[in-house]
Amino acid sequence: IPVLVSLAGGELVALRDIGYGDQRRPWERLKIATSLRLASAVSAGSRYLVRLAEPRLARPVHWLPLGVDTRMFQPGTKREQNRLLHVGTLTAVKDQHTLLAAFVHARRHLPALTLQVIGDGPLREVLAGRANVRRDLRPDPRRAQHLLDPGR
């Protein structure tokens, strides 16, 4: 039976300082190495993951980019100028601390810039303490001019 192994992000990394990545544990390293070796094909959702995976394999890794809901995000639709959006789990690996620091720096040069963060997670209260938070009960990500996807 052909088997496709799809890499999603944390399988090939060990970020010990934030407790992230499957390469931190011997059992996980063995499981992933075995899965990759036995797979009929391997795919990755980003070019970065392709570059991490290919040296471990004797065959190419197929880049299959992660999709975007085109009903919500469409090129050419009317956007608000200077409106930025981040959607994601509020965790250390997503690195919203760096996102907020970069946003503060950018606003010094573009005072009209706004950033909407949609998400929840263990860092919600910490991040809320760093930002001027306004609860938007009806966020509309379709109005954003740029989608930001930080991460480590």
Side-chain angles (χ1 to χ4, degrees), residues 35-108:
S35 297
L36 291 173
R37 185 174 45 82
L38 296 175
S40 306
V42 177
S43 71
S46 71
R47 289 188 172 124
Y48 172 73
L49 283 175
V50 169
R51 287 192 307 273
L52 284 180
E54 282 189 331
R56 300 167 187 251
L57 301 169
R59 63 183 177 281
V61 175
H62 302 279
W63 175 49
L64 300 176
L66 302 174
V68 173
D69 184 347
T70 57
R71 292 170 298 175
M72 182 167 281
F73 299 100
Q74 298 173 7
T77 58
K78 189 166 186 156
R79 307 276 186 218
E80 289 182 22
Q81 289 285 25
N82 299 316
R83 186 178 176 109
L84 308 175
L85 171 68
H86 168 63
V87 179
T89 308
L90 305 180
T91 59
V93 75
K94 298 296 185 182
D95 202 10
Q96 287 97 358
H97 288 291
T98 300
L99 172 66
L100 291 177
F103 175 69
V104 167
H105 178 74
R107 271 199 82 180
R108 289 186 193 124

